[in-house]
Amino acid sequence: MKLIKLSKTIKKIFSNHGLSKKHASISSNAIINAELVGMHSHGLTRLMMYCKRIQKKLINPKPRIKIKKISQSISLIDANNSIGFVAADIAIKTAINSAKKTGIGLVAVKNSGHYGLSGYYVEKAVKKNLIAICFTNAPPAIAPYGAKKSLFGTNPICFGTPTNSKIPFILDTSVSMINRGKIRRAAKLGLKIPSNVALDKSGNPTTNAKKALEGVQLPIASFKGSGLAWMVDILSGVFTGGNHSGKVKDPFDDFTGPQNIGHLFILMKPNLFVGNNYNKRIKENIKTIKKMPKIKGVKEIFYPGQNKYQRYKSNLKKEIKISKNILIEIKSLLK
Ligand SMILES: NC(=O)c1ccc[n+]([C@@H]2O[C@H](COP(=O)([O-])OP(=O)(O)OC[C@H]3O[C@@H](n4cnc5c(N)ncnc54)[C@H](O)[C@@H]3O)[C@@H](O)[C@H]2O)c1
């Protein structure tokens, strides 16, 4: 489908579900961006889920979002269970304003929902020449190291910096071997998942996506990944006032209440300690690493974000491919 047509369609679906024109547009842009960067797990495949949660009054289509200014640099946002895209959009804009004025912007968000890709918001700050770090927690997927059941989410960690070139450095990674959205999408489309990413409910490795969803996902690097997931739960949940310790509800199959997710955004001016030398220093840093001798089969050392940027550029010129299942969902949402 052509980008313009798709954008109009998603906006219409969100507007029909009670979102304001502005909020429908923010949400549609985030979903289309996920498709363009090739993260289909966070794109159209989630549209039905967001709409179901609005219909069930678990996402508030007309939120009264409150921004409490704690200092020139620090704000707390109560998102009033808005769709996560809108809460995160306000949060990143607030953090950018603070960081531009004072050097640092620290914004916590509580009572939010699933906001899609962290990198989407971090990139907005990087484009304003800021370093950005952001965290959000997610529903149970990973077992804490030593525990039998899942409790931590795939809790992404995202870091971005300007690079003094047109391609920003953006490391945006879940702390699980793969993100849960990829497993959900595989389950929906009947695809297999890699062999080292999940266990079924009896604790055996599985490549069956449905069985993986009933079992546990594996964290990156064993207890280290479990520790990172825990840290993200503390920073996005305990610290912000959002849900934590396994209480974030799964947006796809738990309709017993809103998610009350927390997000944390930390933005800094890159010139705080080294002045305008930062530009020269980051360029030198990336150049040194990219020039390193490469192992067999590797033509280029990519920095995080480079691959997504290239996918975005090339996808922008094409129509967006939509699978049959998802087209059926879109049509049903337009009725
Ligand atoms: N909102 C939520 O609750 C939630 C939860 C989990 C994940 N997510 C999102 O899902 C996405 C993460 O998915 P993922 O963990 O599958 O990411 P991924 O494995 O696709 O990529 C992780 C990172 O590695 C980098 N990368 C990939 N290949 C590389 C290479 N060859 N060389 C150098 N760097 C490379 C990517 O640029 C990216 O920054 C993120 O955008 C994250 O924000 C969201």
Side-chain angles (χ1 to χ4, degrees):
M1 196 183 288
K2 286 215 166 87
L3 260 182
I4 298 181
K5 184 173 175 204
L6 183 61
S7 165
K8 269 191 188 163
T9 307
I10 305 177
K11 279 186 218 162
K12 187 161 185 246
I13 289 173
F14 279 128
S15 298
N16 289 352
H17 280 77
L19 264 65
S20 67
K21 223 172 163 185
K22 189 175 166 196
H23 289 181
S25 168
I26 291 169
S27 305
S28 159
N29 290 345
I31 287 179
I32 289 181
N33 172 74
E35 293 290 333
L36 289 174
V37 296
M39 298 300 294
H40 309 293
S41 55
H42 286 68
L44 294 166
T45 189
R46 290 183 182 246
L47 193 56
M48 178 63 98
M49 173 275 283
Y50 292 119
C51 292
K52 256 194 199 165
R53 293 191 79 78
I54 299 170
Q55 282 161 6
K56 291 182 183 290
K57 301 196 174 11
L58 303 173
I59 290 177
N60 183 351
K62 296 269 169 2
R64 295 167 74 91
I65 298 176
K66 288 191 196 126
I67 307 175
K68 183 176 168 193
K69 197 130 183 125
I70 294 169
S71 78
Q72 283 272 79
S73 311
I74 309 170
S75 301
L76 170 65
I77 295 179
D78 182 337
N80 192 216
N81 291 313
S82 76
I83 196 161
F85 303 127
V86 168
D89 182 75
I90 294 176
I92 198 71
K93 285 179 182 153
T94 307
I96 289 171
N97 283 339
S98 295
K100 284 285 177 195
K101 273 189 209 139
T102 70
I104 293 190
L106 174 62
V107 174
V109 184
K110 64 177 180 178
N111 296 327
S112 182
H114 185 270
Y115 70 20
L117 307 174
S118 300
Y120 179 60
Y121 309 100
V122 161
E123 191 175 344
K124 288 180 194 283
V126 172
K127 280 187 177 152
K128 299 280 181 189
N129 197 31
L130 293 163
I131 293 176
I133 302 171
C134 104
F135 305 102
T136 183
N137 55 6
I142 297 175
Y145 189 72
K148 272 187 181 169
K149 269 178 42 181
S150 62
L151 180 140
F152 297 136
T154 51
N155 296 0
I157 294 178
C158 187
F159 165 82
T161 173
T163 53
N164 199 16
S165 79
K166 61 178 190 284
I167 310 180
F169 178 113
I170 296 179
L171 173 72
D172 182 17
T173 180
S174 43
V175 293
S176 48
M177 293 293 287
I178 62 171
N179 75 59
R180 195 162 187 79
K182 283 182 185 161
I183 302 184
R184 285 214 175 270
R185 188 167 178 270
K188 199 167 183 170
L189 303 179
L191 305 171
K192 282 203 161 164
I193 55 168
S195 56
N196 57 344
V197 303
L199 308 177
D200 63 19
K201 62 181 177 200
S202 316
N204 301 313
T206 183
T207 55
N208 180 310
K210 282 188 179 148
K211 287 187 179 167
L213 289 173
E214 290 161 7
V216 296
Q217 284 186 240
L218 295 174
I220 51 170
S222 181
F223 59 85
K224 298 177 192 175
S226 163
L228 288 171
W230 202 334
M231 176 192 82
V232 175
D233 197 40
I234 294 169
L235 286 173
S236 357
V238 179
F239 187 43
T240 61
N243 267 345
H244 59 91
S245 46
K247 291 190 196 78
V248 169
K249 294 181 197 298
D250 193 307
F252 288 92
D253 48 32
D254 187 342
F255 299 102
T256 56
Q259 288 193 289
N260 293 341
I261 286 184
H263 321 300
L264 188 72
F265 298 88
I266 308 166
L267 273 48
M268 294 165 278
K269 271 190 180 168
N271 63 3
L272 285 181
F273 306 119
V274 294
N276 288 337
N277 272 340
Y278 187 84
N279 286 345
K280 214 174 113 207
R281 291 170 68 81
I282 189 76
K283 214 166 179 155
E284 179 191 314
N285 172 283
I286 292 175
K287 195 169 155 197
T288 308
I289 292 158
K290 285 185 81 78
K291 270 185 20 197
M292 285 185 71
K294 291 154 200 66
I295 55 175
K296 213 174 157 195
V298 172
K299 284 203 187 108
E300 182 182 353
I301 295 175
F302 289 107
Y303 58 82
Q306 229 187 321
N307 47 5
K308 264 191 203 168
Y309 180 86
Q310 283 163 356
R311 283 201 299 266
Y312 179 85
K313 280 276 155 195
S314 112
N315 287 340
L316 210 51
K317 295 178 204 142
K318 302 178 198 156
E319 294 204 354
I320 293 193
K321 277 194 201 137
I322 307 176
S323 73
K324 225 171 152 188
N325 291 9
I326 292 171
L327 260 183
I328 293 170
E329 285 183 0
I330 292 179
K331 280 188 187 148
S332 76
L333 287 169
L334 280 167
K335 279 180 193 156

PDB file of all heavy atoms in Angstrom, residues 39 42 114-119 136-138 154-156 170-174 178-179 182 302-305 307-308, ligand 1:
ATOM      1  N   MET A  39      10.889  -2.935  11.489  1.00  0.00           N
ATOM      2  CA  MET A  39      10.514  -3.591  12.750  1.00  0.00           C
ATOM      3  C   MET A  39       9.014  -3.898  12.696  1.00  0.00           C
ATOM      4  O   MET A  39       8.206  -3.270  13.399  1.00  0.00           O
ATOM      5  CB  MET A  39      10.853  -2.691  13.951  1.00  0.00           C
ATOM      6  CG  MET A  39      12.321  -2.376  14.099  1.00  0.00           C
ATOM      7  SD  MET A  39      13.359  -3.842  14.329  1.00  0.00           S
ATOM      8  CE  MET A  39      12.789  -4.395  15.910  1.00  0.00           C
ATOM      9  N   HIS A  42       6.545  -4.262  15.590  1.00  0.00           N
ATOM     10  CA  HIS A  42       6.003  -3.123  16.332  1.00  0.00           C
ATOM     11  C   HIS A  42       5.176  -2.201  15.440  1.00  0.00           C
ATOM     12  O   HIS A  42       4.941  -1.056  15.779  1.00  0.00           O
ATOM     13  CB  HIS A  42       7.135  -2.345  17.018  1.00  0.00           C
ATOM     14  CG  HIS A  42       7.674  -3.079  18.195  1.00  0.00           C
ATOM     15  ND1 HIS A  42       8.369  -4.251  18.066  1.00  0.00           N
ATOM     16  CD2 HIS A  42       7.581  -2.843  19.522  1.00  0.00           C
ATOM     17  CE1 HIS A  42       8.701  -4.698  19.258  1.00  0.00           C
ATOM     18  NE2 HIS A  42       8.236  -3.870  20.154  1.00  0.00           N
ATOM     19  N   HIS A 114       1.938   0.754  25.973  1.00  0.00           N
ATOM     20  CA  HIS A 114       3.000   0.327  25.057  1.00  0.00           C
ATOM     21  C   HIS A 114       3.258   1.422  24.022  1.00  0.00           C
ATOM     22  O   HIS A 114       2.332   1.862  23.348  1.00  0.00           O
ATOM     23  CB  HIS A 114       2.560  -0.966  24.368  1.00  0.00           C
ATOM     24  CG  HIS A 114       3.609  -1.553  23.514  1.00  0.00           C
ATOM     25  ND1 HIS A 114       3.735  -1.225  22.187  1.00  0.00           N
ATOM     26  CD2 HIS A 114       4.607  -2.420  23.784  1.00  0.00           C
ATOM     27  CE1 HIS A 114       4.761  -1.885  21.666  1.00  0.00           C
ATOM     28  NE2 HIS A 114       5.316  -2.622  22.625  1.00  0.00           N
ATOM     29  N   TYR A 115       4.506   1.876  23.903  1.00  0.00           N
ATOM     30  CA  TYR A 115       4.795   3.015  23.019  1.00  0.00           C
ATOM     31  C   TYR A 115       5.543   2.639  21.743  1.00  0.00           C
ATOM     32  O   TYR A 115       5.975   3.504  20.995  1.00  0.00           O
ATOM     33  CB  TYR A 115       5.505   4.132  23.760  1.00  0.00           C
ATOM     34  CG  TYR A 115       6.951   3.905  24.202  1.00  0.00           C
ATOM     35  CD1 TYR A 115       7.768   2.933  23.640  1.00  0.00           C
ATOM     36  CD2 TYR A 115       7.521   4.742  25.169  1.00  0.00           C
ATOM     37  CE1 TYR A 115       9.085   2.777  24.033  1.00  0.00           C
ATOM     38  CE2 TYR A 115       8.845   4.595  25.576  1.00  0.00           C
ATOM     39  CZ  TYR A 115       9.608   3.598  24.990  1.00  0.00           C
ATOM     40  OH  TYR A 115      10.913   3.452  25.379  1.00  0.00           O
ATOM     41  N   GLY A 116       5.716   1.337  21.491  1.00  0.00           N
ATOM     42  CA  GLY A 116       6.394   0.923  20.257  1.00  0.00           C
ATOM     43  C   GLY A 116       7.900   0.878  20.429  1.00  0.00           C
ATOM     44  O   GLY A 116       8.405   0.311  21.403  1.00  0.00           O
ATOM     45  N   LEU A 117       8.616   1.513  19.508  1.00  0.00           N
ATOM     46  CA  LEU A 117      10.085   1.428  19.481  1.00  0.00           C
ATOM     47  C   LEU A 117      10.731   2.583  20.243  1.00  0.00           C
ATOM     48  O   LEU A 117      10.487   3.746  19.929  1.00  0.00           O
ATOM     49  CB  LEU A 117      10.577   1.482  18.030  1.00  0.00           C
ATOM     50  CG  LEU A 117       9.962   0.488  17.043  1.00  0.00           C
ATOM     51  CD1 LEU A 117      10.447   0.771  15.630  1.00  0.00           C
ATOM     52  CD2 LEU A 117      10.309  -0.946  17.441  1.00  0.00           C
ATOM     53  N   SER A 118      11.612   2.278  21.198  1.00  0.00           N
ATOM     54  CA  SER A 118      12.300   3.340  21.947  1.00  0.00           C
ATOM     55  C   SER A 118      13.105   4.231  21.008  1.00  0.00           C
ATOM     56  O   SER A 118      13.173   5.450  21.179  1.00  0.00           O
ATOM     57  CB  SER A 118      13.260   2.720  22.969  1.00  0.00           C
ATOM     58  OG  SER A 118      12.566   1.923  23.882  1.00  0.00           O
ATOM     59  N   GLY A 119      13.729   3.608  20.019  1.00  0.00           N
ATOM     60  CA  GLY A 119      14.614   4.352  19.118  1.00  0.00           C
ATOM     61  C   GLY A 119      13.906   5.472  18.384  1.00  0.00           C
ATOM     62  O   GLY A 119      14.517   6.473  18.002  1.00  0.00           O
ATOM     63  N   THR A 136      11.885   1.597  29.091  1.00  0.00           N
ATOM     64  CA  THR A 136      10.463   1.342  29.373  1.00  0.00           C
ATOM     65  C   THR A 136      10.332  -0.103  29.820  1.00  0.00           C
ATOM     66  O   THR A 136      11.119  -0.958  29.400  1.00  0.00           O
ATOM     67  CB  THR A 136       9.581   1.570  28.120  1.00  0.00           C
ATOM     68  OG1 THR A 136       8.207   1.375  28.486  1.00  0.00           O
ATOM     69  CG2 THR A 136       9.892   0.610  26.988  1.00  0.00           C
ATOM     70  N   ASN A 137       9.362  -0.361  30.706  1.00  0.00           N
ATOM     71  CA  ASN A 137       9.175  -1.776  31.050  1.00  0.00           C
ATOM     72  C   ASN A 137       8.016  -2.369  30.264  1.00  0.00           C
ATOM     73  O   ASN A 137       7.256  -1.658  29.617  1.00  0.00           O
ATOM     74  CB  ASN A 137       9.065  -2.008  32.564  1.00  0.00           C
ATOM     75  CG  ASN A 137       7.984  -1.192  33.231  1.00  0.00           C
ATOM     76  OD1 ASN A 137       7.218  -0.513  32.569  1.00  0.00           O
ATOM     77  ND2 ASN A 137       7.918  -1.259  34.540  1.00  0.00           N
ATOM     78  N   ALA A 138       7.933  -3.679  30.281  1.00  0.00           N
ATOM     79  CA  ALA A 138       7.003  -4.417  29.409  1.00  0.00           C
ATOM     80  C   ALA A 138       6.452  -5.613  30.205  1.00  0.00           C
ATOM     81  O   ALA A 138       6.952  -5.916  31.298  1.00  0.00           O
ATOM     82  CB  ALA A 138       7.771  -4.884  28.166  1.00  0.00           C
ATOM     83  N   THR A 154      10.629  -7.679  28.243  1.00  0.00           N
ATOM     84  CA  THR A 154      11.798  -7.672  27.358  1.00  0.00           C
ATOM     85  C   THR A 154      12.496  -6.312  27.437  1.00  0.00           C
ATOM     86  O   THR A 154      13.442  -6.035  26.688  1.00  0.00           O
ATOM     87  CB  THR A 154      11.372  -7.969  25.912  1.00  0.00           C
ATOM     88  OG1 THR A 154      10.300  -7.086  25.575  1.00  0.00           O
ATOM     89  CG2 THR A 154      10.902  -9.394  25.752  1.00  0.00           C
ATOM     90  N   ASN A 155      12.012  -5.492  28.340  1.00  0.00           N
ATOM     91  CA  ASN A 155      12.529  -4.192  28.796  1.00  0.00           C
ATOM     92  C   ASN A 155      13.668  -3.558  27.977  1.00  0.00           C
ATOM     93  O   ASN A 155      14.840  -3.699  28.332  1.00  0.00           O
ATOM     94  CB  ASN A 155      12.977  -4.357  30.249  1.00  0.00           C
ATOM     95  CG  ASN A 155      11.826  -4.696  31.178  1.00  0.00           C
ATOM     96  OD1 ASN A 155      10.689  -4.808  30.727  1.00  0.00           O
ATOM     97  ND2 ASN A 155      12.100  -4.842  32.458  1.00  0.00           N
ATOM     98  N   PRO A 156      13.325  -2.842  26.911  1.00  0.00           N
ATOM     99  CA  PRO A 156      14.383  -2.317  26.044  1.00  0.00           C
ATOM    100  C   PRO A 156      15.233  -1.206  26.677  1.00  0.00           C
ATOM    101  O   PRO A 156      14.753  -0.436  27.514  1.00  0.00           O
ATOM    102  CB  PRO A 156      13.614  -1.756  24.847  1.00  0.00           C
ATOM    103  CG  PRO A 156      12.249  -1.490  25.349  1.00  0.00           C
ATOM    104  CD  PRO A 156      11.972  -2.477  26.430  1.00  0.00           C
ATOM    105  N   ILE A 170      22.261   4.767  17.169  1.00  0.00           N
ATOM    106  CA  ILE A 170      21.141   4.453  18.072  1.00  0.00           C
ATOM    107  C   ILE A 170      21.146   2.962  18.394  1.00  0.00           C
ATOM    108  O   ILE A 170      20.827   2.124  17.542  1.00  0.00           O
ATOM    109  CB  ILE A 170      19.783   4.874  17.467  1.00  0.00           C
ATOM    110  CG1 ILE A 170      19.761   6.400  17.304  1.00  0.00           C
ATOM    111  CG2 ILE A 170      18.626   4.434  18.373  1.00  0.00           C
ATOM    112  CD1 ILE A 170      18.517   6.976  16.707  1.00  0.00           C
ATOM    113  N   LEU A 171      21.549   2.667  19.606  1.00  0.00           N
ATOM    114  CA  LEU A 171      21.483   1.282  20.077  1.00  0.00           C
ATOM    115  C   LEU A 171      20.120   1.121  20.739  1.00  0.00           C
ATOM    116  O   LEU A 171      19.826   1.799  21.728  1.00  0.00           O
ATOM    117  CB  LEU A 171      22.598   1.004  21.089  1.00  0.00           C
ATOM    118  CG  LEU A 171      22.504  -0.377  21.751  1.00  0.00           C
ATOM    119  CD1 LEU A 171      22.868  -1.477  20.774  1.00  0.00           C
ATOM    120  CD2 LEU A 171      23.378  -0.468  22.980  1.00  0.00           C
ATOM    121  N   ASP A 172      19.294   0.270  20.173  1.00  0.00           N
ATOM    122  CA  ASP A 172      17.925   0.121  20.690  1.00  0.00           C
ATOM    123  C   ASP A 172      17.645  -1.368  20.793  1.00  0.00           C
ATOM    124  O   ASP A 172      17.304  -2.015  19.801  1.00  0.00           O
ATOM    125  CB  ASP A 172      16.954   0.797  19.711  1.00  0.00           C
ATOM    126  CG  ASP A 172      15.523   0.716  20.205  1.00  0.00           C
ATOM    127  OD1 ASP A 172      15.309   0.441  21.394  1.00  0.00           O
ATOM    128  OD2 ASP A 172      14.606   0.945  19.386  1.00  0.00           O
ATOM    129  N   THR A 173      17.800  -1.902  21.975  1.00  0.00           N
ATOM    130  CA  THR A 173      17.727  -3.365  22.082  1.00  0.00           C
ATOM    131  C   THR A 173      16.921  -3.839  23.280  1.00  0.00           C
ATOM    132  O   THR A 173      17.014  -3.273  24.372  1.00  0.00           O
ATOM    133  CB  THR A 173      19.156  -3.951  22.167  1.00  0.00           C
ATOM    134  OG1 THR A 173      19.069  -5.372  22.260  1.00  0.00           O
ATOM    135  CG2 THR A 173      19.953  -3.432  23.345  1.00  0.00           C
ATOM    136  N   SER A 174      16.106  -4.856  23.045  1.00  0.00           N
ATOM    137  CA  SER A 174      15.457  -5.501  24.179  1.00  0.00           C
ATOM    138  C   SER A 174      16.526  -6.328  24.899  1.00  0.00           C
ATOM    139  O   SER A 174      17.567  -6.638  24.314  1.00  0.00           O
ATOM    140  CB  SER A 174      14.305  -6.382  23.706  1.00  0.00           C
ATOM    141  OG  SER A 174      14.668  -7.123  22.580  1.00  0.00           O
ATOM    142  N   ILE A 178      15.463 -12.165  21.503  1.00  0.00           N
ATOM    143  CA  ILE A 178      14.750 -11.385  20.469  1.00  0.00           C
ATOM    144  C   ILE A 178      13.546 -10.724  21.138  1.00  0.00           C
ATOM    145  O   ILE A 178      13.135 -11.158  22.224  1.00  0.00           O
ATOM    146  CB  ILE A 178      14.282 -12.209  19.230  1.00  0.00           C
ATOM    147  CG1 ILE A 178      13.286 -13.302  19.610  1.00  0.00           C
ATOM    148  CG2 ILE A 178      15.450 -12.759  18.471  1.00  0.00           C
ATOM    149  CD1 ILE A 178      12.649 -13.981  18.383  1.00  0.00           C
ATOM    150  N   ASN A 179      13.004  -9.698  20.502  1.00  0.00           N
ATOM    151  CA  ASN A 179      11.876  -9.035  21.163  1.00  0.00           C
ATOM    152  C   ASN A 179      10.603  -9.874  21.042  1.00  0.00           C
ATOM    153  O   ASN A 179      10.471 -10.699  20.139  1.00  0.00           O
ATOM    154  CB  ASN A 179      11.721  -7.580  20.688  1.00  0.00           C
ATOM    155  CG  ASN A 179      11.133  -7.467  19.299  1.00  0.00           C
ATOM    156  OD1 ASN A 179      10.027  -7.933  19.059  1.00  0.00           O
ATOM    157  ND2 ASN A 179      11.882  -6.866  18.391  1.00  0.00           N
ATOM    158  N   LYS A 182       8.457 -10.080  17.830  1.00  0.00           N
ATOM    159  CA  LYS A 182       8.861 -10.966  16.727  1.00  0.00           C
ATOM    160  C   LYS A 182       8.254 -12.352  16.938  1.00  0.00           C
ATOM    161  O   LYS A 182       7.877 -13.028  15.982  1.00  0.00           O
ATOM    162  CB  LYS A 182      10.392 -11.066  16.661  1.00  0.00           C
ATOM    163  CG  LYS A 182      11.030  -9.828  16.041  1.00  0.00           C
ATOM    164  CD  LYS A 182      12.545  -9.952  15.945  1.00  0.00           C
ATOM    165  CE  LYS A 182      13.164  -8.657  15.450  1.00  0.00           C
ATOM    166  NZ  LYS A 182      14.589  -8.542  15.740  1.00  0.00           N
ATOM    167  N   PHE A 302      29.284  -2.197  11.257  1.00  0.00           N
ATOM    168  CA  PHE A 302      28.191  -1.217  11.369  1.00  0.00           C
ATOM    169  C   PHE A 302      28.132  -0.703  12.792  1.00  0.00           C
ATOM    170  O   PHE A 302      28.383  -1.441  13.734  1.00  0.00           O
ATOM    171  CB  PHE A 302      26.846  -1.875  11.057  1.00  0.00           C
ATOM    172  CG  PHE A 302      26.672  -2.231   9.610  1.00  0.00           C
ATOM    173  CD1 PHE A 302      26.738  -3.555   9.194  1.00  0.00           C
ATOM    174  CD2 PHE A 302      26.431  -1.240   8.666  1.00  0.00           C
ATOM    175  CE1 PHE A 302      26.566  -3.884   7.855  1.00  0.00           C
ATOM    176  CE2 PHE A 302      26.264  -1.561   7.331  1.00  0.00           C
ATOM    177  CZ  PHE A 302      26.337  -2.882   6.921  1.00  0.00           C
ATOM    178  N   TYR A 303      27.755   0.549  12.947  1.00  0.00           N
ATOM    179  CA  TYR A 303      27.429   0.981  14.313  1.00  0.00           C
ATOM    180  C   TYR A 303      25.919   0.859  14.505  1.00  0.00           C
ATOM    181  O   TYR A 303      25.159   0.887  13.519  1.00  0.00           O
ATOM    182  CB  TYR A 303      27.976   2.364  14.646  1.00  0.00           C
ATOM    183  CG  TYR A 303      27.575   3.535  13.787  1.00  0.00           C
ATOM    184  CD1 TYR A 303      26.356   4.200  13.993  1.00  0.00           C
ATOM    185  CD2 TYR A 303      28.419   4.017  12.799  1.00  0.00           C
ATOM    186  CE1 TYR A 303      26.012   5.306  13.234  1.00  0.00           C
ATOM    187  CE2 TYR A 303      28.070   5.123  12.026  1.00  0.00           C
ATOM    188  CZ  TYR A 303      26.857   5.759  12.247  1.00  0.00           C
ATOM    189  OH  TYR A 303      26.513   6.839  11.491  1.00  0.00           O
ATOM    190  N   PRO A 304      25.466   0.696  15.753  1.00  0.00           N
ATOM    191  CA  PRO A 304      24.038   0.508  15.980  1.00  0.00           C
ATOM    192  C   PRO A 304      23.231   1.647  15.358  1.00  0.00           C
ATOM    193  O   PRO A 304      23.601   2.810  15.515  1.00  0.00           O
ATOM    194  CB  PRO A 304      23.911   0.510  17.505  1.00  0.00           C
ATOM    195  CG  PRO A 304      25.254   0.065  17.983  1.00  0.00           C
ATOM    196  CD  PRO A 304      26.236   0.637  17.005  1.00  0.00           C
ATOM    197  N   GLY A 305      22.180   1.293  14.683  1.00  0.00           N
ATOM    198  CA  GLY A 305      21.318   2.301  14.055  1.00  0.00           C
ATOM    199  C   GLY A 305      21.599   2.439  12.570  1.00  0.00           C
ATOM    200  O   GLY A 305      20.721   2.849  11.803  1.00  0.00           O
ATOM    201  N   ASN A 307      22.104   0.127  10.279  1.00  0.00           N
ATOM    202  CA  ASN A 307      21.297  -0.789   9.456  1.00  0.00           C
ATOM    203  C   ASN A 307      19.848  -0.315   9.351  1.00  0.00           C
ATOM    204  O   ASN A 307      19.253  -0.330   8.277  1.00  0.00           O
ATOM    205  CB  ASN A 307      21.376  -2.227  10.000  1.00  0.00           C
ATOM    206  CG  ASN A 307      21.160  -2.295  11.504  1.00  0.00           C
ATOM    207  OD1 ASN A 307      20.861  -1.284  12.152  1.00  0.00           O
ATOM    208  ND2 ASN A 307      21.299  -3.468  12.085  1.00  0.00           N
ATOM    209  N   LYS A 308      19.303   0.187  10.473  1.00  0.00           N
ATOM    210  CA  LYS A 308      17.913   0.656  10.453  1.00  0.00           C
ATOM    211  C   LYS A 308      17.774   1.870   9.547  1.00  0.00           C
ATOM    212  O   LYS A 308      16.802   2.011   8.822  1.00  0.00           O
ATOM    213  CB  LYS A 308      17.470   1.049  11.871  1.00  0.00           C
ATOM    214  CG  LYS A 308      16.737  -0.043  12.584  1.00  0.00           C
ATOM    215  CD  LYS A 308      16.095   0.477  13.848  1.00  0.00           C
ATOM    216  CE  LYS A 308      15.870  -0.650  14.822  1.00  0.00           C
ATOM    217  NZ  LYS A 308      15.510  -0.196  16.157  1.00  0.00           N
TER     218      LYS A 308
HETATM  219  N1  LIG B   1       7.837  -0.907  23.958  1.00  0.00           N
HETATM  220  C1  LIG B   1       8.219  -2.077  24.430  1.00  0.00           C
HETATM  221  O1  LIG B   1       7.673  -2.552  25.402  1.00  0.00           O
HETATM  222  C2  LIG B   1       9.331  -2.824  23.765  1.00  0.00           C
HETATM  223  C3  LIG B   1       9.792  -3.997  24.359  1.00  0.00           C
HETATM  224  C4  LIG B   1      10.859  -4.651  23.751  1.00  0.00           C
HETATM  225  C5  LIG B   1      11.415  -4.168  22.574  1.00  0.00           C
HETATM  226  N2  LIG B   1      10.912  -3.033  22.017  1.00  0.00           N
HETATM  227  C6  LIG B   1      11.514  -2.477  20.806  1.00  0.00           C
HETATM  228  O2  LIG B   1      11.852  -3.521  19.899  1.00  0.00           O
HETATM  229  C7  LIG B   1      13.093  -3.222  19.283  1.00  0.00           C
HETATM  230  C8  LIG B   1      14.216  -4.155  19.747  1.00  0.00           C
HETATM  231  O3  LIG B   1      14.163  -5.259  19.123  1.00  0.00           O
HETATM  232  P1  LIG B   1      15.406  -6.229  19.157  1.00  0.00           P
HETATM  233  O4  LIG B   1      15.954  -6.395  20.501  1.00  0.00           O
HETATM  234  O5  LIG B   1      14.908  -7.399  18.400  1.00  0.00           O
HETATM  235  O6  LIG B   1      16.445  -5.381  18.299  1.00  0.00           O
HETATM  236  P2  LIG B   1      17.478  -5.871  17.193  1.00  0.00           P
HETATM  237  O7  LIG B   1      18.080  -7.156  17.637  1.00  0.00           O
HETATM  238  O8  LIG B   1      16.827  -5.825  15.867  1.00  0.00           O
HETATM  239  O9  LIG B   1      18.579  -4.722  17.266  1.00  0.00           O
HETATM  240  C9  LIG B   1      19.216  -4.359  18.458  1.00  0.00           C
HETATM  241  C10 LIG B   1      20.252  -3.291  18.185  1.00  0.00           C
HETATM  242  O10 LIG B   1      21.370  -3.867  17.540  1.00  0.00           O
HETATM  243  C11 LIG B   1      21.728  -3.091  16.407  1.00  0.00           C
HETATM  244  N3  LIG B   1      22.279  -3.998  15.379  1.00  0.00           N
HETATM  245  C12 LIG B   1      21.633  -4.966  14.710  1.00  0.00           C
HETATM  246  N4  LIG B   1      22.460  -5.591  13.859  1.00  0.00           N
HETATM  247  C13 LIG B   1      23.667  -4.998  13.992  1.00  0.00           C
HETATM  248  C14 LIG B   1      24.956  -5.187  13.387  1.00  0.00           C
HETATM  249  N5  LIG B   1      25.158  -6.107  12.469  1.00  0.00           N
HETATM  250  N6  LIG B   1      25.962  -4.384  13.789  1.00  0.00           N
HETATM  251  C15 LIG B   1      25.772  -3.439  14.727  1.00  0.00           C
HETATM  252  N7  LIG B   1      24.593  -3.210  15.340  1.00  0.00           N
HETATM  253  C16 LIG B   1      23.550  -3.983  14.977  1.00  0.00           C
HETATM  254  C17 LIG B   1      20.444  -2.432  15.946  1.00  0.00           C
HETATM  255  O11 LIG B   1      20.723  -1.231  15.237  1.00  0.00           O
HETATM  256  C18 LIG B   1      19.776  -2.156  17.278  1.00  0.00           C
HETATM  257  O12 LIG B   1      20.201  -0.933  17.802  1.00  0.00           O
HETATM  258  C19 LIG B   1      13.555  -1.904  19.787  1.00  0.00           C
HETATM  259  O13 LIG B   1      13.197  -0.890  18.885  1.00  0.00           O
HETATM  260  C20 LIG B   1      12.842  -1.790  21.111  1.00  0.00           C
HETATM  261  O14 LIG B   1      12.665  -0.465  21.540  1.00  0.00           O
HETATM  262  C21 LIG B   1       9.906  -2.353  22.591  1.00  0.00           C
END
